[in-house]
Structure formats: structure tokens, C-alpha cells
Amino acid sequence: MREEIFRAYNEAKIDDDSIVFFRVNNYYVALFDDAKKVSNELHIPLLTKNIDDSDIIYIVIQEDNLVSVLVRLDRCTEGNYKLIETVEFIL
């Protein structure tokens, strides 16, 4: 599972400034450094989940709040993010 998450994340990541969001049911999830960046910019709490004996750092945004989060991120990051929709990963 951990390798699948890393692979999908790395395939989606455009560059160091981009932020990748994965859709998981009715939520959007940012992982790793993207989660840290969004957490720092928007004061969203970081979460940690142990998967395959490795901690995965992430944040969760409710689907209903996504637009407002993206607007706030746009102001901070100049719109350099990419949305990836998937229901493959259950954190």
C-alpha cells in the first residue's frame, strides 16, 4: 500500500511548488511535504497514519470546503497545484 501511495504521488507531482490532492470518498487529502505546506499556509492540522511500518503525514479537507481552500491556496501559492481524484487509497 505504501509503495502505491508513493508511486501515485510521484507520478502526479509536477514540481516542488505544486500541491497534489487525492480524492478519498468525500474528502481531499494532501500528503508528505504538500501536507506540510498546506498546513503551514492555512493552519490545517497535520495528521499521521502508520502504513507498512512507515508514518504518512497528511491533511484532510472536506469536499464541501475544497473551493474555499483552493482560493486561499491560490493567494499563497500562485495557483500552482494539481488535483488528482481517486478512491483507491483509504487512509
Side-chain angles (χ1 to χ4, degrees):
M1 173 68 122
R2 182 176 176 267
E3 290 80 20
E4 293 173 23
I5 294 171
F6 277 113
R7 187 178 324 111
Y9 175 79
N10 288 327
E11 287 175 6
K13 189 75 172 167
I14 298 170
D15 54 42
D16 290 339
D17 294 327
S18 64
I19 299 171
V20 177
F21 289 94
F22 289 96
R23 183 173 180 133
V24 181
N25 297 321
N26 292 332
Y27 299 92
Y28 284 85
V29 176
L31 305 166
F32 314 119
D33 288 339
D34 290 350
K36 291 178 186 177
K37 183 175 187 175
V38 174
S39 176
N40 289 337
E41 295 288 347
L42 305 181
H43 309 290
I44 297 171
L46 284 172
L47 304 169
T48 305
K49 176 90 173 178
N50 188 286
I51 298 175
D52 298 337
D53 294 325
S54 179
D55 287 339
I56 305 293
I57 297 170
Y58 66 102
I59 61 160
V60 176
I61 299 167
Q62 290 182 329
E63 182 178 39
D64 295 344
N65 297 331
L66 182 65
V67 172
S68 65
V69 167
L70 294 180
V71 167
R72 290 169 49 203
L73 269 178
D74 192 47
R75 292 182 192 137
C76 301
T77 65
E78 300 176 6
N80 195 12
Y81 51 82
K82 181 178 181 180
L83 278 174
I84 304 297
E85 291 197 32
T86 180
V87 293
E88 294 178 29
F89 303 124
I90 300 172
L91 295 178

